[in-house]
Every structure is written in structure tokens, then in C-alpha cells.
Amino acid sequence: MSSLMDSSISQILQFPSFPLLLTSLLFFFILVRYYQKSRGQGKVPPGPKTLPIIGNLHQLTGGLLHQVLTRLCKNYGPVMKLQVGQIAAVVISSPEAAKEVFKTHDINFTDRPSEFYGLEIMTYGYSGMVFTPYGEYWRQIRKVVMTHLLSTKRVLSFRSIREEEVWNLVQFICSSEEQSVNLTHKVFTMTNDIISRAAFGSKNENQKNFITTFQELMDVSGSFNIIDLYPSLTFLRSVTGSKGKLLGIHKKMNEILEDIVTKHKTKRNAAAIANDEEDVVDTLLNYAEADSTGFYITTDQIKAIILDLFSAGSETSSITTDWAMAELLKNPRVMKKAQEEVREACKGKSKIEEADIQSLQYLNLVIKETFRLHPPVGLVTRLSSKTCEINGYTIPANTRVMINAYALGRDPTIWTNPECFQPERFEGSSIDFKGSSFELLPFGSGRRMCPGITFALANIELTLSQLLYHFDWKLAGGIRLEDLDMTETFVSVIRRKSNLNVIATTRIPFQK
């Protein structure tokens, strides 16, 4: 019987059509397996073809990620599927689809991806507010932050700090009249001084070290890294040197923050601190012991929240101010109109304050238009907690969903002349940037919307109004306006690649 079977098998193998038959059967079984696997997935979003192991990684070259994804979505639609290494992702680039993510299915997209090794280290294991998993701890932390740190009332309490630091910038520029000023650097330094004073109290050497180390940490943890595309291959962290570098920078940051918190504890033990004298660290230390609900935060969690506040506030404020000034220089008509508004509203004043600029409607349009063309965070990322449907496509659980705020702001089906800087497009428009208009999402939307919007906006408005009120501007080095470099670069946020070097002429005199 055995020999007969062997003979039959031998004849089959020698049959001329056998290789074709075997290939056909194999292909059939692959199709059946794919069909069975995809039946539960529903309608899969379209996307470019993938390659083994790397997926679509080869198609994400040739530009910054937000730019490349914007080009791809023109070919594959507003809901596009990607596979990058081990990461499954869906890119959203229409207001309708963004609304479904942030409003219709908001509860399903309350988590952020946790594959970023650099962020895990920087945030003390995602123990701050921005990246912590959705749940009771997040709700408690958000309540503390939104009630005691970033509420409208608390932001107003920092008004004197903002006015003093912006005024220091104005005085520096005045003292450098007709000389080249690196406005990008000066605005960045001023913004960090504001947040440092609000967070830590009076200026000290620790703050300088903190800012330097913080920027280093942001650049490393926010940059593209192969280890984040293959999170299960943990050996890559050591092989690539990423682990050692990240831990080294984090160690420096931790020592600085530990010293700051320790000094605050010592000061609190020595004397009672009035509510109006509390800085951010003082406020957080109030929760270092369990309250009536049993909720308390550790020293490491305090450190993580401080880092969240800096990442959410400093970059947004300084980068938006920098982009706005660059666009105003490139568009003299808009610059003139914005200057005329603030100079008319504050006529006769040698020094303007926040109360003087509340009615500057055109300045508000300039800021809106800057957010449209240059959102600080071009890709707002969420993680689906369970399978759901967006625009008729099935999004599986544990899929990274990226809302392309950059593409939304430049979509020609939404905006007329989208590449042009035209603040007037918002006149009479109900579109705003605070999360309810899904055409304009520089801060995201929904439950995980950026908490620093009020703080950032206060910094931007006051800085721009002062710069426009007191000075006339031109580019340094004889550069023509049309040659101003507006190239983008991306490291955690979308910045201008080149510094904005300008020459200011004092227009409105003031008392030094």
C-alpha cells in the first residue's frame, strides 16, 4: 500500500501542470485567508502599496512628514491607510473625517500612542497630562491643570510677568535700533522666561540650565527615530545609541527639576505662601499629599507636568509669533493694516498693556491666518481604543490616527488661494481655532485638546501688538522681502528653518 501511494505521488509530481496547479492552490488559500481576515475589518481605507518589513516607509521620504502625507492624501483621499514598520496608521485630512474623530467618536480617541521611547523617558513614563493614558488619573490631573494652572483666571494672574518680559524685549530692540536683531532667538528666550517665572518663581541659574536642557531633550525625543517604528525590537534602543543618549539628557533634566522642587519644599516649610504668590511648582506641591478624595501626585509626576507645560506653551507661543512676523514682513499691506490698528487703539500711550489690546480685531485675524498656514503641531495624533467607522471606513482598535492639521489649513476645496497669507478671509467668519471648527485645528480638539491654548494666545497677542506698535521693520543684510526664506523644519513642532534677522526703527517713542 505504501509503495502504491509513493508511486502515485511520484506520478503527480511528474505531471507537467503540477507546479501551476500547486501555485494556483496556494494563491487560492491566500485569498481565502485574506478574505477571512478582512471580513471582520469592514471597508479598509485606501493607501499606497506596502513592502515587506518596512511597509510604506520608503514612500515617506522626499520632504517633511506633514508635507509628504499632504501630497499622498491628494492621491488616496481624506482617510488614508499606512503601515510604517510595525505601526498601523490612518491619516485624516478632511474636516468631516476630523469631526468624526474628535466629536462623534471622541471617547474612542482619548488615548495617545505610547510607542515613543523618547517621550516615555521624558514624561517619566507618561505620568504628566499630555501623554498619560485616558482614565481616572488623567481626569484628576486635567482637573488640577485646567482649574489651578491654565484656567483663564490663572493665566490672567501671570499678566504682570508677561508685560514685564515683553517690555524687556521692546527695550532691547530699541537699544539695538538700526542693528541686526535675531528676532527668532529673542522671542524664544522671552517666551521661556515668561513660562519659567510662572512655573518656578523668580529668575535663577536653574532656569537657564533648565531651558538649555529642555530644548536639547525636545530635539532628541521629538525627532524621527527608527526605534519608534519597531517598538517590539527593544534591542534597537541600545544598538542605535538612542537609549544612552536619551537617558543621559533626562538625567541632567531630572537633577535640575529635583533641585527646583526641593528648594520649593524648603521654602514652603520655612514660611507660609499666600495664594497670589504661588507659582506652578507651589500649586502642584499642594497635591503632594492625598486630598479628601485620596488623590495625590508624586515628585516625578510634578516634574512631568512641568515639562508638559513647557512643551505645550513655549514652542507654540514663540513659533507662532515668529511665523506671524515673517508673514507680515512678506506682506507689507497686511503689516501696515495691523500696525495702523494697534497704533490707533493705543494712541498716545508710551507703554501698552494687555487691557489695551482686547479690541484688536485685525490682529486676531492675523493670528488665525498664521495658525491656518503654520500650525505648530502639523499632525495631531490619537490612538483608537476599539474598532469604529470613520467616513465609511473601518478603523481597527489600536490604530494610530493622525489628523493632518497642516493639510486642512491648505486644502483648496476649503480655502480660496490657500497658499496666500490673507487675514481678511476670516472677516465675518465663525471659523475659530479653539476646537469647534474642524477646518482649523492648530490645538487639536475634543477631550485631549492642547490645554495651553489660553496661555499661548496671551503671549502671542501681547508680543505681536508691542512689536507692531513701537517699531517699523525691514530684513537685515539687504535681503529682499520676496527672498525671505520660509522653509519649514520639523522637530516635535513645525518651525521656520532660518532665523528671522531684522532691523527695527522705533516709531512710537516710550520712556525707557
Side-chain angles (χ1 to χ4, degrees), residues 324-500:
M325 287 300 295
E327 288 288 4
L328 289 168
L329 280 161
K330 282 188 71 72
N331 296 273
R333 176 194 66 81
V334 180
M335 171 77 86
K336 183 173 184 288
K337 191 172 180 179
Q339 287 177 320
E340 288 175 348
E341 179 189 52
V342 67
R343 289 171 182 174
E344 178 61 29
C346 304
K347 185 185 295 184
K349 292 181 176 291
S350 62
K351 183 176 182 180
I352 61 177
E353 300 173 340
E354 286 192 359
D356 302 318
I357 63 173
Q358 300 307 307
S359 61
L360 299 181
Q361 297 181 3
Y362 192 70
L363 180 66
N364 183 259
L365 302 185
V366 168
I367 294 171
K368 276 188 181 181
E369 182 71 341
T370 304
F371 280 139
R372 180 189 70 83
L373 269 177
H374 309 289
V377 181
L379 298 169
V380 182
T381 310
R382 297 287 188 271
L383 188 71
S384 58
S385 59
K386 61 182 180 180
T387 300
C388 70
E389 199 171 273
I390 301 293
N391 264 30
Y393 295 106
T394 299
I395 311 298
N398 298 316
T399 299
R400 184 184 300 184
V401 175
M402 296 184 285
I403 295 83
N404 193 341
Y406 180 88
L408 290 171
R410 294 171 183 253
D411 189 340
T413 66
I414 303 172
W415 312 98
T416 303
N417 299 324
E419 299 297 326
C420 297
F421 190 78
Q422 298 174 345
E424 288 80 4
R425 73 174 74 245
F426 289 105
E427 287 180 341
S429 172
S430 61
I431 295 176
D432 210 336
F433 50 76
K434 298 181 180 179
S436 59
S437 301
F438 298 96
E439 307 93 330
L440 188 63
L441 295 169
F443 295 93
S445 182
R447 302 171 197 229
R448 298 301 288 255
M449 182 176 175
C450 176
I453 181 171
T454 304
F455 190 93
L457 194 59
N459 292 338
I460 295 165
E461 290 174 339
L462 183 61
T463 305
L464 283 177
S465 61
Q466 292 272 29
L467 296 180
L468 295 173
Y469 181 74
H470 287 290
F471 305 105
D472 288 333
W473 301 88
K474 63 180 179 181
L475 293 172
I479 298 175
R480 299 180 303 173
L481 297 181
E482 56 268 31
D483 294 330
L484 176 58
D485 185 8
M486 301 292 277
T487 305
E488 298 172 339
T489 185
F490 178 79
V491 180
S492 72
V493 288
I494 304 175
R495 308 171 184 165
R496 289 182 61 255
K497 187 174 183 179
S498 303
N499 289 329
L500 186 59

Side-chain angles (χ1 to χ4, degrees), residues 50-118:
T50 62
L51 291 178
I53 302 175
I54 66 171
N56 298 113
L57 186 59
H58 62 296
Q59 291 152 324
L60 302 183
T61 58
L64 301 177
L65 181 59
H66 58 279
Q67 296 172 347
V68 174
L69 293 178
T70 298
R71 290 197 296 268
L72 286 174
C73 78
K74 293 178 181 178
N75 295 327
Y76 297 100
V79 181
M80 177 179 65
K81 172 179 65 70
L82 292 174
Q83 182 71 36
V84 188
Q86 295 177 334
I87 306 299
V90 170
V91 182
I92 302 294
S93 56
S94 76
E96 296 78 15
K99 183 177 180 179
E100 289 198 42
V101 172
F102 285 132
K103 189 173 182 179
T104 307
H105 299 288
D106 182 35
I107 190 63
N108 190 42
F109 293 98
T110 50
D111 269 328
R112 296 180 186 272
S114 57
E115 304 97 353
F116 302 108
Y117 183 62

Side-chain angles (χ1 to χ4, degrees), residues 116-129 131-133 137 210 213 217 247 249-259 261 298-308:
F116 302 108
Y117 183 62
L119 284 176
E120 182 181 356
I121 292 176
M122 185 181 80
T123 60
Y124 293 82
Y126 304 112
S127 63
M129 191 192 83
F131 294 100
T132 195
Y137 172 74
F210 174 86
T213 309
L217 191 60
L247 290 175
I249 298 172
H250 182 68
K251 181 181 178 181
K252 287 195 298 182
M253 175 59 76
N254 185 64
E255 289 173 352
I256 294 169
L257 287 173
E258 185 69 34
D259 187 56
V261 173
T298 67
T299 299
D300 279 353
Q301 288 166 343
I302 289 174
K303 298 172 189 174
I305 294 169
I306 291 170
L307 291 173
D308 278 351

